[in-house]
């Protein structure tokens, strides 16, 4: 497409975006839907000008995805599709379209082969199970990380490594979005603070600040801020990144998300220890855990968040730990998984199984709130093994590269290796009590941080036909 044609189409899409945005003010009950259409049109207009804008648009979409979750979910062929799901499907299709248009330039890094194998196995299990669209959602969720990694690798190699820092900076600046929403919603009376965190009280906007999702996304912002602060080129940059980290922590703890808060403490402890000091790192993590426990046990409203019956007796308090029904979900998922341990019951089956035991919630699907149990239930030991074969070696790889480049004083590469290592912790730890691998606004930034770090580890070579990089 010629540049003049791209500009004309972009202007047309921009005009449509403005029209949709104005219509939102006229029809208040359709504000989330209008915002969704506005976002889609804006992304389309930007993409017609330059495909690199897709990287920037995702940094805006990820922290605002909770607004689109306010749209009433559509029941489609036995499953539910939300507004945020439609938005991420559009973004994924755009990535596929650009990669398909430049297939000779596309390469899949070797470190992502286990993820591709896991996605392929999930696809096989979906084809051999009767769950159809319910399971297809899981296939798409698990296929997004290698897709986003390929797109990130292609776009950065095509348009220059200078794009990396711009993308990182925009993800850090995206902190402004949840911060602004919270600061605006509290004075307006749209939020009340409960023992479970901030809850929306306006009809139709009850999840405008979804505590768990907001906290999980802020962990990614925190990893970037901590790594850039660690290897800042000057004092001013170090101070700026310190402020960003403190803001991310403040909002994160405001959400009262328990596992995200614990993960943040772990990341903080690791950030102040040199990568080649493994013993000190373990002591730092232990100290962070003890500090967190001490704070929880000494602050009354935190006691209400963590325990159903806090009392003067510490053992009685600990025995009343709030699990929000997770103990039932985990037990049901594990017991049913043992009936087909090798290949599982097929993608999406865990959500349906758990939903039958949460009838009070009046839902057809219910997440088990443990990613590893869900993968084991749906795809068996084979699927869980492939998933761990992707994440665990990658975790050690980035720590090794971080340590090596730190000792070599190669600060740009050490910074990105540290961010990649921290981002993996930010997704693996919360997976014990949640399902962040099913959240595109988490997996996409993590895949991008990992891929950017991979580019920093091994400089790009000239484009060849589709091949696998040996690193």
């Amino acid at each position: 497409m010629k540049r003049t044609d791209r500009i004309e189409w972009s202007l047309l899409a921009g005009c449509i975006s403005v029209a949709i945005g104005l219509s939102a003010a006229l029809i208040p009950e359709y504000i989330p839907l209008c915002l969704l259409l506005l976002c889609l049109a804006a992304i389309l207009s930007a993409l017609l000008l330059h495909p690199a804008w897709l990287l920037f648009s995702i940094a805006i979409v990820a922290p605002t995805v909770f607004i689109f979750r306010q749209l009433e979910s559509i029941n489609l062929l036995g499953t539910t599709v939300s507004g945020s799901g439609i938005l991420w499907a559009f973004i994924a299709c755009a990535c596929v379209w650009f990669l398909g248009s430049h297939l000779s330039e596309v390469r899949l890094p070797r470190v992502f082969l286990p993820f591709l194998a896991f996605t392929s196995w999930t696809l096989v299990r979906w084809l051999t199970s009767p769950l159809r669209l319910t399971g297809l959602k899981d296939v798409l969720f698990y296929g997004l990380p290698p897709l986003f990694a390929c797109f990130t690798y292609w776009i950065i190699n095509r348009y220059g490594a200078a794009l990396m820092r711009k993308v990182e900076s925009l993800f850090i600046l995206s902190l402004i979005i949840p911060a602004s929403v919270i600061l605006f919603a509290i004075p307006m009376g749209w939020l009340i603070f409960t023992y479970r965190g901030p809850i929306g009280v306006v009809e139709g906007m009850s999840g405008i600040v979804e505590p768990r999702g907001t906290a999980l996304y802020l962990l990614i912002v925190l990893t970037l801020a901590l790594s850039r602060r660690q290897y800042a080129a000057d004092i001013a940059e170090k101070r700026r990144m310190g402020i960003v980290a403190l803001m991310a922590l403040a909002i994160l703890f405001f959400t009262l998300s328990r596992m995200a808060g614990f993960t943040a403490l772990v990341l903080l402890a690791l950030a102040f220890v040199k990568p080649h000091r493994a013993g000190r790192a373990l002591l730092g993590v232990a100290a962070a855990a003890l500090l967190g426990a001490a704070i929880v046990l000494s602050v009354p409203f935190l006691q209400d968040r963590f325990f159903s019956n806090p009392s003067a007796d510490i053992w009685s308090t600990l025995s009343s730990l709030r699990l929000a029904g997770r103990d039932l979900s985990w037990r049901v998922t594990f017991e049913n998984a043992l009936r087909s341990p090798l290949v599982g019951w097929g993608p999406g089956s865990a959500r349906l199984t758990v939903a039958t035991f949460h009838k009070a919630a009046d839902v057809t699907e219910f997440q088990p709130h443990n990613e590893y149990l869900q993968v084991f239930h749906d795809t068996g030991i084979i699927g869980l093994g492939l998933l761990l074969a992707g994440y665990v070696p990658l975790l050690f790889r980035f720590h090794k590269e971080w340590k090596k480049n730190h000792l070599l004083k190669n600060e740009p590469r050490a910074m990105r290796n540290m961010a990649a290592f921290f981002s993996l912790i930010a997704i693996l730890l919360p997976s014990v009590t949640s399902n962040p691998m099913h959240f595109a606004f988490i997996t996409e930034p993590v895949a991008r941080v990992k891929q950017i770090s991979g580019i920093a580890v091994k400089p790009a070579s000239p484009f060849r036909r589709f091949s696998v990089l040996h690193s």
Side-chain angles (χ1 to χ4, degrees):
M1 185 184 295
K2 295 181 180 179
R3 179 172 177 79
T4 53
D5 294 335
R6 290 202 304 268
I7 293 175
E8 290 175 0
W9 280 105
S10 300
L11 290 174
L12 176 61
C15 291
I16 295 174
S17 302
V18 173
I20 295 172
L22 292 176
S23 68
L26 301 176
I27 316 175
E29 60 268 29
Y30 293 114
I31 285 179
L33 176 60
C34 292
L35 288 175
L36 173 63
L37 297 176
L38 172 64
C39 191
L40 292 175
I43 293 174
L44 178 61
S45 62
L47 291 180
L48 289 170
L49 278 175
H50 202 294
W53 279 101
L54 186 58
L55 287 180
F56 300 119
S57 66
I58 294 173
I60 305 301
V61 169
T64 57
V65 72
F66 313 110
I67 297 175
F68 307 122
R69 292 183 65 182
Q70 303 314 302
L71 288 171
E72 185 175 352
S73 298
I74 302 171
N75 291 319
L76 185 63
L77 300 178
T79 189
T80 56
V81 180
S82 65
S84 61
I86 295 173
L87 186 58
W88 284 110
F90 176 83
I91 291 173
C93 289
C95 290
V96 172
W97 184 74
F98 280 117
L99 292 176
S101 303
H102 304 84
L103 194 58
S104 62
E105 301 176 358
V106 176
R107 292 174 293 174
L108 178 66
R110 185 179 179 182
V111 294
F112 278 91
L113 283 179
F115 295 96
L116 184 61
F118 170 66
T119 303
S120 301
W121 171 247
T122 306
L123 178 61
V124 170
R125 289 298 296 120
W126 173 71
L127 292 173
T128 55
S129 69
L131 298 177
R132 296 298 175 255
L133 195 60
T134 298
L136 182 60
K137 290 198 302 185
D138 290 78
V139 176
L140 295 177
F141 284 135
Y142 295 136
L144 288 179
L147 172 64
F148 289 138
C150 283
F151 180 78
T152 301
Y153 195 89
W154 169 73
I155 202 74
I156 289 178
N157 276 283
R158 185 177 178 85
Y159 295 104
L163 190 63
M164 291 192 298
R165 190 167 182 85
K166 294 180 180 179
V167 172
E168 294 166 347
S169 298
L170 190 56
F171 264 106
I172 290 175
L173 289 174
S174 69
L175 172 70
I176 297 173
I177 296 175
S180 301
V181 170
I182 291 174
L183 290 176
F184 181 75
I186 291 177
M188 294 294 293
W190 291 0
L191 289 176
I192 60 173
F193 199 79
T194 70
Y195 76 91
R196 298 192 64 180
I199 303 295
V201 294
V202 178
E203 184 178 358
M205 305 293 279
S206 60
I208 192 68
V209 179
E210 205 276 330
R212 188 189 310 117
T214 302
L216 290 174
Y217 177 77
L218 289 174
L219 285 176
I220 311 303
V221 177
L222 181 64
T223 63
L224 292 171
L226 290 176
S227 59
R228 289 182 66 164
R229 180 189 178 279
Q230 179 74 17
Y231 296 99
D234 51 61
I235 297 298
E237 174 74 1
K238 186 180 287 288
R239 289 175 178 171
R240 283 194 297 269
M241 291 303 102
I243 293 173
V244 170
L246 289 175
M247 289 179 61
L249 286 169
I251 302 173
L252 193 151
F253 289 127
F254 174 75
T255 66
L256 290 186
S257 179
R258 294 172 291 182
M259 182 56 82
F262 172 72
T263 305
L265 289 177
V266 171
L267 295 177
L268 277 176
L270 294 175
F272 290 97
V273 179
K274 304 301 181 184
H276 55 285
R277 305 287 189 183
R280 293 183 182 180
L282 293 175
L283 289 175
V285 171
L290 291 174
L291 175 63
I295 294 174
V296 168
L297 292 172
S298 60
V299 180
F301 76 86
L302 289 181
Q303 291 181 11
D304 292 335
R305 175 69 178 106
F306 279 79
F307 308 105
S308 59
N309 186 28
S311 62
D313 183 2
I314 186 171
W315 298 114
S316 299
T317 300
L318 293 176
S319 63
S320 65
L321 180 67
R322 290 184 187 271
L323 294 175
R326 285 177 173 83
D327 50 343
L328 174 62
S329 299
W330 295 341
R331 178 171 55 82
V332 168
T333 305
F334 183 69
E335 289 178 354
N336 198 48
L338 292 180
R339 295 169 55 200
S340 181
L342 184 61
V343 297
W345 293 96
S349 59
R351 297 198 305 274
L352 299 177
T353 299
V354 175
T356 60
F357 289 86
H358 287 276
K359 296 179 181 179
D362 191 25
V363 293
T364 57
E365 299 178 14
F366 200 96
Q367 297 281 8
H369 291 285
N370 185 305
E371 198 72 64
Y372 308 108
L373 269 180
Q374 180 163 351
V375 171
F376 175 46
H377 181 282
D378 290 357
T379 61
I381 295 175
I382 296 176
L384 183 59
L386 289 173
L387 182 70
L388 296 178
Y391 275 110
V392 175
L394 205 57
L395 186 72
F396 285 100
R397 168 198 167 95
F398 282 129
H399 184 269
K400 179 181 177 181
E401 294 290 343
W402 176 28
K403 180 172 67 174
K404 181 184 73 173
N405 287 303
H406 176 84
L407 294 174
L408 292 175
K409 300 189 183 303
N410 190 333
E411 294 185 351
R413 292 187 181 183
M415 182 271 289
R416 293 191 171 97
N417 296 148
M418 177 181 175
F421 175 66
F422 277 22
S423 70
L424 286 173
I425 295 176
I427 197 172
L428 292 176
L429 266 184
S431 291
V432 175
T433 60
S434 187
N435 293 85
M437 297 180 195
H438 280 72
F439 299 152
F441 59 89
I442 302 299
T443 57
E444 195 287 330
V446 170
R448 179 170 303 170
V449 171
K450 289 189 295 187
Q451 190 50 57
I452 287 177
S453 181
I455 294 173
V457 171
K458 187 177 181 64
S461 55
F463 285 123
R464 302 187 300 272
R465 293 190 64 80
F466 188 90
S467 60
V468 175
L469 283 181
H470 296 277
S471 51

